[in-house]
RNA sequence: GUGGGUGUAGCUCAGUUGGUUAGAGCGCCUGGUUGUGGCCCAGGAGGUCGGGGAUUCAAGUUCCCUCACUCACCCCA
């Protein structure tokens, strides 16, 4: 096995062939979809002042309190690797110093969280996400969910489900916590140890406890919306209604909890059955962040690409099936033919044909073996007699047939194979 | 941070109660006579058994430490 000096950092990995084809497919189709919805790309730095994350995500959230990669630079500045994408975008928008009118941005790239790795959880992971700023109304939330639904379909996913809930307005938060505590207090002895701890620290978390015993109790609890103000309930109903109009199937789930402090109103999560314990493939919600005397409002989502890849494979979409191969393979007999083929190789490539040939001076038999493995549908064979006649043997690897062609004929047969 | 599982060839794994030069399948390379792949046949390369220490005449096999991978918890995408 490789010694540790050849391994990347724990929880971080090299992404290469063949999986990379799945990543490239997801990335390029994402750009297509985002363009159709009028979103443009933003690439924020991977590192920010630590306070950028603290002020957006909340000081007490686990993500900032114990999962950030933080360091102090030589100037004594406190910096952190970004654990998610929204905070950087909010920083960017806040810096504009003006009301951001209908700003629609998307991003994709690596995020970092110092957690223990497990299925669907890496320390360097990747997200693609969007932020729709400055349109604080239910239609905007519904559009965002519709975009995400469209995006997933475009990637090839079918079996995902969308769970929808509301976090309520920031001013509802205390009422929700109080209401839930009041209901749970008499049942406290029946809850698991973790939940008794959560009861004080973060009651909402009791709702999504994985212990069966806790679930039985929590299932009887009143929905969180019951503790919220009228506007919060109306907002959620309106989002739900609009999604119905757009034929996007969602499940209202009053037990859905999302952990970051910036959420206000709508929150949702998308799960996929192929995922295992960490079955959330993507999450999103409406948020409200106060920066000085400005309030930045937006709605957005992020999808975890490592989890998306697992889901795609679960639905039979494999990296192997997306791997591009050469259109043509060149086989040479003898040094002269080799050099002629080297020239032909370049010429064909300039014409947009993906082609390759053996560079190791191997026997013809070996070259044919490599040609077969390359998956190229056509092979060009040249030896002394072809050089003599100025022709090419063009072989169809599928059929096993072969014909002797001239240069113009060769080009006419190969042009349809061009990539792009 | 806590707990379980696993580390033997490029990959997937066998390796009996510790005992001679560590195996298989797949992959890779070379051949099976003149210039033709896939199938078949033959041969070959490739491993300090994750690393370190201990016990023993003898350790892939036992014990301790360490590193990594993996799954789960906390929490999140």
């Amino acid at each position: 096995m490789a010694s540790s000096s050849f391994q990347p950092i724990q929880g971080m990995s090299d992404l290469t062939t063949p999986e990379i084809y799945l990543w490239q497919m997801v990335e390029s189709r994402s750009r297509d979809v985002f363009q159709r919805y009028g979103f443009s790309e933003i690439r924020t730095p991977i590192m920010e002042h630590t306070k950028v994350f603290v002020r957006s995500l909340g000081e007490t959230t686990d993500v900032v309190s114990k999962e950030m990669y933080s360091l102090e630079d030589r100037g004594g500045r406190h910096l952190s690797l970004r654990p998610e994408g929204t905070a950087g975008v909010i920083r960017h928008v806040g810096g504009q110093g003006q009301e951001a009118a209908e700003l629609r941005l998307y991003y994709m790239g690596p995020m970092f969280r110092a957690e223990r790795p497990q299925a669907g959880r890496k320390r360097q992971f990747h997200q693609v996400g969007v932020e729709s700023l400055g349109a604080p109304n239910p239609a905007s939330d519904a559009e965002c969910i519709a975009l995400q639904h469209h995006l997933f379909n475009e990637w090839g996913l079918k079996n995902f489900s969308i769970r929808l809930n509301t976090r309520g307005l920031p001013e509802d938060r205390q009422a929700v916590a109080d209401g839930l505590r009041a209901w749970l207090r008499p049942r406290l002895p029946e809850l698991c140890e973790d939940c008794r701890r959560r009861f004080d620290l973060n009651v909402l978390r009791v709702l999504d406890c994985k212990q069966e015993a806790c679930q039985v109790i929590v299932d009887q609890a009143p929905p969180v919306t019951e503790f919220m103000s009228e506007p919060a309930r109306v907002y959620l109903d309106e989002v739900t209604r609009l999604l119905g109009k757009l034929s996007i199937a969602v499940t209202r789930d009053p037990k859905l909890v999302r952990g970051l402090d910036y959420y206000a109103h709508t929150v949702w999560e998308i799960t996929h059955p192929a995922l295992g314990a960490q079955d959330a493939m993507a999450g999103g919600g409406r948020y409200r962040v106060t920066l000085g005397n400005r309030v930045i409002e937006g709605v957005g989502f992020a999808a975890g690409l490592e989890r998306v890849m697992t889901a795609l494979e679960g639905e039979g979409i494999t990296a192997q099936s997306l791997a591009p191969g050469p259109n043509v393979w060149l086989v040479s007999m003898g040094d002269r033919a080799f050099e002629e083929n080297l020239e032909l190789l370049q010429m064909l490539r300039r014409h947009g044909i993906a082609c390759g040939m053996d560079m190791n001076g191997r026997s013809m038999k070996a070259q044919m073996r490599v040609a077969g493995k390359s998956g190229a549908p056509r092979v060009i064979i040249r030896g002394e007699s072809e050089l003599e006649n100025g022709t090419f043997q063009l072989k169809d690897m599928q059929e096993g047939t072969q014909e002797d062609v001239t240069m113009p004929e060769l080009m006419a047969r190969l042009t349809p194979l061009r990539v792009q």
Side-chain angles (χ1 to χ4, degrees):
Chain A
M1 267 304 125
S3 74
S4 61
S5 61
F6 293 109
Q7 284 178 324
I9 297 170
Q10 182 178 46
M12 309 196 179
S13 46
D14 299 323
L15 244 31
T16 181
T17 187
E19 324 90 83
I20 200 70
Y21 299 121
L22 221 38
W23 287 75
Q24 290 172 341
M25 179 277 281
V26 164
E27 286 166 5
S28 65
R29 291 190 192 170
S30 299
R31 291 181 197 284
D32 284 351
V33 173
F34 293 146
Q35 192 187 347
R36 282 188 242 176
Y37 283 76
F39 282 71
S40 56
E41 185 173 7
I42 180 169
R43 301 189 191 185
T44 64
I46 273 172
M47 206 184 294
E48 299 270 2
H49 290 289
T50 298
K51 64 168 193 258
V52 167
F53 303 115
V54 175
R55 73 185 178 201
S56 285
L57 309 183
E59 201 153 5
T60 58
T61 55
D62 280 47
V63 170
V64 315
S65 65
K66 55 182 217 195
E67 293 170 3
M68 283 205 294
Y69 278 102
S70 297
L71 61 100
E72 206 171 299
D73 74 2
R74 293 185 191 189
R77 286 172 281 260
H78 297 281
L79 309 177
S80 294
L81 257 32
R82 62 183 188 190
E84 56 86 79
T86 304
V89 174
I90 289 174
R91 192 246 326 117
H92 171 84
V93 173
Q96 307 273 46
Q98 64 202 14
E99 282 310 312
E102 290 276 333
L103 201 47
R104 293 162 162 255
L105 300 168
Y106 76 86
Y107 59 85
M108 40 217 262
M111 309 292 165
F112 303 84
R113 256 119 101 160
E115 303 174 277
R116 198 68 173 264
Q118 74 186 65
R121 169 181 295 167
K122 308 283 283 181
R123 286 182 169 177
Q124 174 174 333
F125 61 105
H126 301 77
Q127 289 188 336
V128 29
V130 310
E131 311 294 349
S132 174
L133 285 309
N137 57 72
S140 185
D141 300 37
E143 186 199 24
C144 192
I145 294 171
L147 158 57
Q148 195 172 13
H149 186 271
H150 188 164
L151 182 68
F152 288 11
N153 281 158
E154 208 65 27
W155 290 344
L157 293 173
K158 301 233 177 310
N159 308 327
F160 56 89
S161 41
I162 307 176
R163 287 154 58 222
L164 187 71
N165 195 17
T166 178
R167 190 72 206 276
L169 290 158
E171 47 272 33
D172 291 330
R173 211 155 285 184
Q174 193 58 47
V176 172
D178 290 346
L180 207 53
R181 282 206 184 91
W183 188 87
L184 282 171
R185 189 163 284 117
R187 299 164 177 85
L188 213 44
E190 301 163 58
L191 294 175
C192 73
E193 198 180 328
D194 278 335
C195 282
R196 291 201 294 274
R197 187 174 51 78
R198 291 182 182 115
F199 182 84
D200 294 316
L201 290 174
N202 188 356
V203 231
L204 283 178
R205 281 287 162 210
V206 176
L207 294 177
D208 66 356
C209 179
K210 288 178 181 171
Q211 299 288 321
E212 185 127 2
C214 297
Q215 275 307 306
V216 172
I217 294 167
V218 153
D219 278 338
Q220 298 159 18
V224 287
T225 42
E226 209 157 286
F227 305 118
M228 291 175 189
S229 57
E230 187 65 16
R233 283 200 294 267
V234 170
Y235 196 100
L236 179 64
D237 287 342
E238 185 59 4
V239 173
T240 310
R241 188 184 70 81
L242 290 171
L243 285 170
K245 211 167 163 46
L246 296 174
S247 305
I248 307 286
V250 298
T251 309
R252 287 267 290 252
D253 180 0
K255 293 191 297 174
L256 173 66
V257 179
R258 296 191 54 74
L260 308 175
D261 282 357
Y262 56 45
Y263 287 117
H265 276 309
T266 324
V267 290
W268 69 90
E269 196 165 277
I270 301 189
T271 57
H272 192 281
L275 259 34
Q278 311 304 324
D279 67 348
M281 183 168 68
R286 172 160 289 284
Y287 49 83
R288 183 180 289 180
V289 176
T290 304
L291 292 184
N293 56 2
R294 282 195 59 189
V295 174
I296 294 179
E297 285 222 51
V299 60
F301 69 77
L305 291 185
E306 280 75 7
R307 295 181 188 185
V308 167
M309 300 306 152
T310 306
L312 284 169
E313 276 161 11
E315 296 205 26
I317 300 164
T318 63
Q320 204 48 252
S321 66
L322 296 169
N327 305 125
V328 182
W329 199 263
L330 307 197
V331 168
S332 329
M333 302 281 314
D335 295 345
R336 245 182 84 211
F338 176 81
E339 291 208 0
E340 291 294 314
N341 270 347
L342 208 50
E343 244 178 89
L344 177 61
L345 186 71
Q346 277 312 98
M347 192 275 272
L348 292 174
R349 286 171 174 167
R350 286 195 208 97
H351 278 77
I353 294 163
C355 48
M357 61 184 263
D358 174 62
M359 298 291 169
N360 295 313
R362 296 204 250 200
S363 70
M364 185 198 193
K365 196 188 180 94
Q367 289 182 60
M368 284 304 296
R369 247 200 313 274
V370 175
K373 261 185 315 220
S374 79
R378 299 287 184 279
V379 169
I380 294 169
I381 302 163
R382 283 211 285 180
E384 285 303 323
S385 51
E386 285 73 25
L387 293 181
E388 203 83 14
N389 306 331
T391 60
F392 307 82
Q393 293 297 320
L394 182 61
K395 178 162 185 168
D396 182 321
M397 294 298 272
Q398 183 94 50
E399 303 297 324
T401 56
Q402 189 168 316
E403 57 180 332
D404 194 44
V405 298
T406 61
M407 178 58 98
E409 291 168 333
L410 180 70
M411 294 313 289
R413 300 246 194 321
L414 296 185
T415 304
L417 299 176
R418 279 159 59 146
V419 288
Q420 80 189 0

